[in-house]
Amino acid sequence: SRMAAAPSPLPSPLPPYTDPEASHPHLLSEVEAVERAEAVGRGVEYVTEVMLVAGCDRYLGRTAIVFKLNNPPPPSIFLDFSGRTITSFAINGFDVPVVDRRTNEKEEKEKVVVEKEETQTETEGESESESESESESKSMSEGGQKSEGTGKSMGKNKSEGEQMSEGTGESMGRSKTERKSDIEQQRKEEEDAPNLFIIEGKVVWVKHRLHIDTQLLFCDSSHSSSSSSLSSSSSSSSSSSSSSPSSHGTLNTNVVVIEYENEFDHGGEGFHRHVDSQDNREYFYTCFPPYECHRFIPCFDQPDLKGQFSLSVVAPAEWVVLSNSKEIICEDVSIGSVPLVKEKAVEQATKPYTRRKFAKTPPLSTYLFAMTAGPFASVTKEILLDYANTSRPLTLGLYCRQSLFSSLDPSNIFDITEKGLRYYEQFFECEYPFDSYDQVFAPEFNWGAMENPGCILFSENYIYTSLPTSLQRCSRDETILHEMAHQWFGNLVTPVWWNGLWLNESFATFLGNFAVSQLSEFADLASLEFNTRMKQWAYNTDLRVTTHPIEGRVATTEETFLNFDGITYGKGASVLKQLVSFLGMEVFRKGMVSYFQKYRWGNTTIVEFLSSLNSAAMSQSHTIVEQIGGLHKWSNYWLMSCGVNSIETSWSLSTSIASSFSSFEIHQSADPLYPELRPHHIDVVVYTLSDDSTDVVKHGPFPVDVLPQAVTVVDTSLFGTFSSPPLFVFPNANDHAYVNVVLDQISLDFVHKHVDSLQDPLTRALLWQTLFMMVRNCKMEAMVYIKLVIASAPSEPNLSLLSNLLTKAMSCAGLYVPRSHISEAYSSIFELSCAQFVLSKTPEAKRMWVNVYINSATTNERVQELFDKISHDGTESETNESSATDQSDGSVGITDTALFNENLLKWKILTKAVSFGIPQALPGLESHRKVDRSSAGHLHYLEAMASRPDSEVKRGLWEELLSGTTGKSHYELCALMRGFKRGNPDLNSYAKKFFEDLPTAFEKLEKKTAVAWCTTLFPRHPFDPEVFKEARSAISKPGTSTDQGHVIKRNLEQLLDDLQRSRDAQEYSMQKDKVDG
């Protein structure tokens, strides 16, 4: 057969060089992934060894990929790989010569240009000599001399050369020295361009793909050693036997071995290297979702081609090295002869190094493969897991940078970790599926956390360097339990493709929050945390023009990147929460037990997930599930369409019994763009006044199933009779439904008067969210909302809810209050914070009010007052006295030296003071930088320096941010961006420049950094028509249909939508002012 034939020799001539960016963008499409999954047999193995040399900016790697192809095999197969240089390549025992095709082809082109110039020069010389000669023989003789002389003179007289070369090519008229200089400059400019390698004519490496002609995979290697050259065997291929593919099933096992040299990443993804600015120690970690593993090793980088990984790491003996599985061997090695050592770090040659080998992993998707290394400080705890009456030892490990170790909280983290592992084993009726459980706090980590099996990464933001709030600790518990849920849902069973990302993240978000309510000392905050953080993120995202279905087609990995948003996490989790309220937790749990038993170590889609739940539901004759046509019908309502439904109650009281309903209806509506009406499970609560009218009395909850129709009539007997007439009805108590609640006028009037007297903090949070959405949707003036918050805040006992309220008030002031009222808005919040700080009794409450005080100080006088409260001599205050002093304007000032000099608060004050140009702020900043040499302090310092109100500083920053060559990490660049927006005297002048430089940002910067650049520096001027014009022009430009253009378009549409909403809300308030005025 064709596939059994021996490989052909190197083609001649080679096909023309093409721009890798044009032919192979840095992504993987779903179509390509499906085709490759059909071609590659299950059971891929990766055997990798990595060498890390302390102080080097590169590392060495060697990976063997063991795989089979399904029959019939494709003409070619590709591996994903973005290494710097491939140093050796072998297929099935053949060593294959590696040729840098790009360099060779450039040299060939340069040679052709030089030869062409010389030929044209000789021709012109001959023509000139013929016109002057008198005989053919003499002219030929002189022509040769003149040709030689003319060729030499072209380089001596540039102007003459340029005239002679007109119309003959750009390089005519330039000397060889000048042409050589041009060529060297061009090579220098293209050093970072994607490599294009030809390997023996049958393997092509273009940027991040290694295309392999599958003819190579059926060569007979039985007579060749591992060092044999493929080219030598090709010459005798006619006489050698070859293996033929089988007629069905999988083909023979193939082994591709690649050695390479690579550079570290600095954007928090791929293989990231961080140098601690405090002690110069270096730390490394990998982070691969959704499509980054190929930055580290050559692989089939897609979630449904699971592989088993065997990893060895050569590194300094003093370092900690972790991976997905246990370390099984540690042996001393010598690295003195390694070229990388000699070239970059000679002193390392004599230091002790070891090779750590890790056990082969179970089948994992490539994005879950993990490694960390560095001089981490650590603490471990041995536990015994006893699910199903079996005693299994497990070591829990915690790791962080040495400079942060004193702030680590091992006791609380170990406590929630151990509780979580025991809880999930019982919940899923499935033992923890991996042999280690290490939790690593990674520097400059872009995500909150990453669920790598057995080696979970967390942001260092979860290490609290000052006294944490209850909400902070609750959030950390939730994140730990979120990542732990992924060990089963996501790692043990994994989505086939990235359209299942939402289910992966939503499941862990919902269940992690539920587990907090069962296990954490902050259980009372779980529902509140879910609503104020996740669900409100979902509503904000879903109401934008850029909303998308929860479950939809994800064409490429680039689109996956865009879908790490409030729909994927917040809305998906909210919908799952509602589904559980439909089914009941026990039915949901039994469905999960069946799911893990059936699909263990496999890949699934939403179909398999819902089938497991549907079977569990139908076994108990669920009426609502049957009523809506089963869970697959439910998925059409909720997963395949966009938008938020609104619900509103309509009710009337009985004429005979005033304290009961005579009618009760739920009205449902939808956005005209997304008209889908959906089923909802809601809890209705009714509020009345007590007999003496002094207290608010709650009745219910009353469960109601809202059908997917405009009006659902509720049987009034559900409610019974109340002691006094109902004054307020709320149709989403307990927050089961994902809906926008519209309050009837009677209820709205009640809320304005009594919201702070409602006992349940979740109900208060839901009502405040409803009022905020009214502002956002132009149904309430922003100043009315702010005044309501200011009136209610002093009596709000829940600090987490209070913090959320004050954040919303600040958002209203910055986004939705008309410019004519903005000073009033910030001033009223500022005065509230001053007064409440003095009245607060706990350090947590005081710290919260100080943060509000700092954020709402928007005048030079108030920022100067802030600056005067901190020490400026590079020392921290030892005092802890709180007192209040009356100011000349009657407001209350704050004096609490110790609190204001807490490290984080002091950085905030210094940054604000620098941005306002406060005298002595810069010396104070430099002084504090000497005190805080931490990595976090370094970022605060960068932001503060970037916030200087100096036009030249801003101009230099703009150029630096767009250069793409600063060597700064993603975190550092983001700090500079935030500082640029502060204290910018001519920020408006950058509006047009923003749109001009937008393509450059996405070309020069890492994708995540480019998105941050776009989001942070977008000109938020709601009444500048040029901003809207430029943004719409950029959205509609040719090229926005490309994958990079799609990212730009999506971000601009979202930013423009937010800007339009800000403008609409401000105009609504101005119109109301005119009417009321």
Side-chain angles (χ1 to χ4, degrees), residues 2 37 43 92 114 242 407 410 570 599 626 704 735 740 745 807 891 971 984 1035 1061 1076:
R2 178 177 63 85
N92 292 341
V114 173
S242 58
S407 299
Y599 302 109
E626 294 171 350
V704 174
D735 200 25
N740 175 41
Q745 191 57 50
T807 299
S891 64
Y971 269 54
N984 198 332
I1035 289 170
R1061 197 176 295 275
D1076 297 340

Side-chain angles (χ1 to χ4, degrees), residues 994-996 998-999 1014 1018 1026-1041 1045-1046 1048-1050 1052-1053 1056:
F994 170 88
F995 294 104
E996 291 173 349
L998 185 61
C1014 181
F1018 179 79
E1026 285 301 311
V1027 171
F1028 285 86
K1029 178 182 175 182
E1030 292 286 351
R1032 290 176 180 132
S1033 174
I1035 289 170
S1036 61
K1037 276 182 180 177
T1040 51
S1041 60
H1046 185 61
I1048 296 174
K1049 181 174 182 288
R1050 173 90 164 260
L1052 283 181
E1053 286 176 336
L1056 195 60

Side-chain angles (χ1 to χ4, degrees), residues 211 324 793-794 958:
H211 295 268
N324 303 104
W958 188 271

Side-chain angles (χ1 to χ4, degrees), residues 243-346:
S243 356
S244 299
S246 58
S247 58
H248 58 84
T250 57
L251 302 173
N252 297 337
T253 298
N254 300 285
V255 181
V256 174
V257 182
I258 304 171
E259 294 185 2
Y260 46 93
E261 183 179 303
N262 212 347
E263 295 172 339
F264 295 105
D265 296 294
H266 300 282
E269 293 168 349
F271 192 17
H272 184 85
R273 176 177 182 255
H274 170 80
V275 179
D276 192 329
S277 62
Q278 191 164 348
D279 56 21
N280 289 322
R281 292 184 172 100
E282 53 187 336
Y283 298 88
F284 307 83
Y285 61 85
T286 60
C287 184
F288 294 148
Y291 181 63
E292 308 292 349
C293 187
H294 64 278
R295 291 192 186 196
F296 183 52
I297 63 169
C299 58
F300 299 116
D301 203 356
Q302 60 190 73
D304 58 338
L305 284 178
K306 287 189 169 184
Q308 292 183 273
F309 296 83
S310 298
L311 176 67
S312 299
V313 180
V314 175
E318 64 181 354
W319 286 7
V320 172
V321 181
L322 302 170
S323 189
N324 303 104
S325 54
K326 282 183 177 179
E327 178 185 303
I328 55 175
I329 296 176
C330 181
E331 56 191 10
D332 295 333
V333 295
S334 172
I335 65 166
S337 61
V338 177
L340 190 64
V341 178
K342 293 181 178 180
E343 179 184 343
K344 289 291 183 180
V346 178

Side-chain angles (χ1 to χ4, degrees), residues 381-387 392-397 413-434 436-439 454 456 480-481 483-488 515 519:
K381 180 182 180 180
E382 302 293 330
I383 66 170
L384 286 175
L385 296 176
D386 53 6
Y387 168 70
R392 291 170 293 112
L394 182 69
T395 302
L396 306 181
I413 296 173
F414 279 144
D415 180 64
I416 195 66
T417 300
E418 184 174 356
K419 287 178 179 177
L421 287 168
R422 297 185 189 282
Y423 179 77
Y424 283 143
E425 285 195 333
Q426 296 294 332
F427 188 91
F428 297 133
E429 296 183 22
C430 176
E431 66 183 33
Y432 173 65
F434 304 99
S436 60
Y437 203 91
D438 294 318
Q439 298 177 98
I456 300 96
I480 289 171
L481 293 170
E483 305 309 324
M484 191 181 292
H486 272 310
Q487 304 305 306
W488 285 266
L519 306 174

Side-chain angles (χ1 to χ4, degrees), residues 939-980:
L939 296 177
H940 288 305
Y941 178 77
L942 285 179
E943 180 178 349
M945 290 298 289
S947 70
R948 287 171 289 172
D950 184 301
S951 297
E952 288 302 314
V953 169
K954 301 302 182 182
R955 188 177 298 111
L957 269 175
W958 188 271
E959 294 174 358
E960 180 181 0
L961 288 169
L962 286 171
S963 69
T965 58
T966 63
K968 290 184 170 63
S969 70
H970 171 75
Y971 269 54
E972 290 172 317
L973 292 172
C974 287
L976 294 178
M977 294 173 202
R978 293 191 300 270
F980 179 90

Side-chain angles (χ1 to χ4, degrees), residues 91 126 129 134 210 237 247 274-275 372 455 471 477 503 595 610 646 696 776 822 935 1060:
I91 298 179
E126 289 171 1
S129 64
E134 297 179 356
L210 271 164
S237 61
S247 58
H274 170 80
V275 179
T372 64
C455 188
L471 186 60
D477 284 356
L503 184 56
Y595 179 77
L610 290 179
S646 295
V696 176
R776 199 169 182 267
I822 193 167
S935 293
Q1060 183 65 57

